[in-house]
Amino acid sequence: MQLRISGYAKRGILSRYLVINALRRRPLSRAELARDLGLSPAAITAIADELLEHGVIREDGYMRSERGRRPMRLRLREDSGYAVGVDMTADDALRVALLDLACTVVSECVVPLRSADPAAVVDAIGAAYREVLSAGGVPEASVLGVGITSPGPMAYQSGVVERAVLFGWRNVPLTDMVRAKLGKLVVSDLDVNLAAMGEYWYGDGGEPAADLVYITVGAGIASAFLLDGEVRRGRHTSLGELGHTVIAAGGLPCECGSRGCLETVASQRAMLRWVHDRIRAGSRSSLAVLEAITAAAVYEHASAGDSLAIEAVERVAYYVGLATANLINLLSPSLVVIGGPIWPAMDIFLPVVQATVAEAALPELAAYTKIIRSRLGPKAAVVGAAVLVLEEAFRVPVNAAGPSARLAAVGH
Ligand SMILES: [Zn+2]
């Protein structure tokens, strides 16, 4: 009998949740689990036996030991549960991926969107969901839930998309609609928040940083802040609008109504405007022969060595570097991860950001913060969507059982 993790975790008691969540972070021995969770070795042995029997975890070789018996390492079985990630941030297509418990992509597909009507989009999500399951050979019962990158500002608790310019939506209850269609747990968040979660959990394959800022640079510029693995949210979900922090007093008007925002000089639109101006003024560039110059073309030509394209990317990097320095002075995170559409030009972009921060941020804070490129690249948001499903599916139900439940679970 192969009892899958979803049904098992639902029936499980709190200490089982604690063990599963500890093993989601990294493989551990029974002794380490007992020590980390404050449970007795006998309790851990009983839980581990059950989880092994039900195919939720597996034994994964002996760990190194100084003396005595070498302990057996336990790890979560990657194939004991799956999550589906849906990326809705492109206007003409859905990118859908099936991920296992290690958040490895098992199968993926791109479905063109023929209509922006919410019901039609939900139908397309349903079709793509079935396609990735069948391509991955995974039964529907093994799917823990679906995570969606919201196409616009949303109310996180209710899952209502307040506004999606790409789709012309206002107040669309997206997660409710998908839940009604698929009968699964459905969660959604802004792509920048999800990318931050993806980087936190799976960016380096090792111990995640305790706090992390993720910055996405593309059509817009946004940031997300994670503390102890939780996305920090303000009163409104649009927290992290780095692109609308003012970088030039009395600067260009911004579409938000203010002036001199970071996006007026560092968004893709601002970058392309600068490139066009320079070409009109006679600058030589391999971009000049193109019929239409896109941001992707600028990144590509920069990587190929075109000096105007390189200057365009470096200019964006300088402004993003200034904003990052402000952010470091305010939050002092241990890790800043930069990703988004700029990713292909990162070899040019990142050193300029780092150099600008070194000049502009307080030295003692800048020395403490590492600035790196997104390690998941274009997959960051979809991996994060799957992480959000797992977070929700394995959330220890402390509130449901009363405030003392966590202590009770540890004590007995
Ligand atoms: Zn603005």
Side-chain angles (χ1 to χ4, degrees):
M1 187 190 63
Q2 181 75 358
L3 186 57
R4 293 292 175 169
I5 201 164
S6 55
Y8 186 73
K10 259 181 235 155
R11 287 195 297 106
I13 49 171
L14 296 172
S15 43
R16 288 185 194 135
Y17 275 91
L18 296 176
V19 169
I20 289 172
N21 277 313
L23 292 177
R24 278 180 63 211
R25 291 199 169 268
R26 61 193 170 101
L28 292 162
S29 70
R30 289 172 177 82
E32 286 172 323
L33 280 166
R35 184 198 61 205
D36 291 0
L37 300 176
L39 289 158
S40 71
I44 289 292
T45 299
I47 293 167
D49 285 352
E50 260 184 333
L51 294 173
L52 281 166
E53 189 191 325
H54 290 104
V56 175
I57 63 172
R58 62 186 164 89
E59 292 188 323
D60 186 39
Y62 291 100
M63 302 171 102
R64 251 194 279 269
S65 173
E66 295 293 300
R67 64 184 109 90
R69 223 162 53 129
R70 290 183 305 161
M72 175 62 77
R73 183 189 290 119
L74 300 174
R75 72 160 68 225
L76 221 49
R77 268 183 59 165
E78 297 85 347
D79 62 351
S80 61
Y82 294 84
V84 172
V86 180
D87 187 357
M88 291 191 56
T89 49
D91 53 352
D92 54 351
L94 293 173
R95 286 171 172 75
V96 179
L98 176 72
L99 299 99
D100 65 18
L101 277 196
C103 282
T104 302
V105 175
V106 175
S107 61
E108 53 192 324
C109 73
V110 178
V111 185
L113 278 179
R114 288 185 184 83
S115 159
D117 175 61
V121 171
V122 170
D123 281 347
I125 291 175
Y129 170 83
R130 281 186 293 279
E131 193 178 325
V132 291
L133 257 63
S134 122
V138 167
E140 197 170 354
S142 302
V143 176
L144 294 161
V146 178
I148 305 175
T149 60
S150 177
M154 62 171 295
Y156 179 69
Q157 296 299 340
S158 67
V160 172
V161 179
E162 294 172 339
R163 180 167 51 84
V165 177
L166 286 175
F167 296 89
W169 287 1
R170 279 217 173 258
N171 298 321
V172 172
L174 182 64
T175 55
D176 280 354
M177 290 174 74
V178 177
R179 193 178 300 119
K181 173 100 188 163
L182 300 179
K184 289 283 175 188
L185 166 73
V186 179
V187 289
S188 180
D189 202 347
L190 297 175
D191 61 340
V192 63
N193 289 347
L194 293 173
M197 289 186 75
E199 289 291 337
Y200 176 80
W201 275 93
Y202 292 101
D204 60 359
E207 281 286 288
D211 49 56
L212 172 160
V213 171
Y214 184 90
I215 300 174
T216 177
V217 181
I221 299 163
S223 60
F225 183 46
L226 254 86
L227 194 56
D228 295 329
E230 295 275 346
V231 173
R232 295 290 132 176
R233 299 171 194 285
R235 298 279 301 242
H236 192 268
T237 51
S238 295
L239 169 84
E241 292 284 2
L242 191 64
H244 296 287
T245 53
V246 177
I247 210 94
L252 296 167
C254 180
E255 59 190 24
C256 74
S258 180
R259 297 185 83 92
C261 296
L262 176 61
E263 284 188 11
T264 63
V265 285
S267 69
Q268 287 179 344
R269 189 143 48 128
M271 177 181 77
L272 291 175
R273 196 177 52 228
W274 182 86
V275 167
H276 282 294
D277 286 350
R278 287 293 300 267
I279 288 175
R280 260 196 301 273
S283 289
R284 290 161 63 93
S285 168
S286 55
L287 290 163
V289 299
L290 298 181
E291 212 161 278
I293 302 173
T294 61
V298 175
Y299 303 151
E300 194 186 308
H301 285 238
S303 303
D306 180 71
S307 57
L308 185 74
I310 290 173
E311 201 182 335
V313 170
E314 287 179 339
R315 195 168 167 273
V316 172
Y318 169 69
Y319 289 117
V320 171
L322 289 181
T324 305
N326 290 341
L327 217 149
I328 288 171
N329 283 353
L330 289 172
L331 296 171
S332 184
S334 55
L335 191 63
V336 173
V337 184
I338 302 181
I342 192 75
W343 201 68
M346 203 56 90
D347 283 346
I348 298 160
F349 188 83
L350 191 64
V352 177
V353 173
Q354 288 166 331
T356 308
V357 167
E359 272 176 23
L362 286 174
E364 50 275 23
L365 296 183
Y368 170 74
T369 302
K370 221 162 78 178
I371 304 170
I372 62 168
R373 76 184 70 202
S374 162
R375 296 148 298 186
L376 295 168
K379 278 196 313 187
V382 84
V383 168
V387 169
L388 187 61
V389 169
L390 303 184
E391 288 285 280
E392 231 13 82
F394 298 127
R395 189 173 292 285
V396 179
V398 173
N399 294 336
S404 61
R406 188 187 283 266
L407 290 175
V410 168
H412 303 285

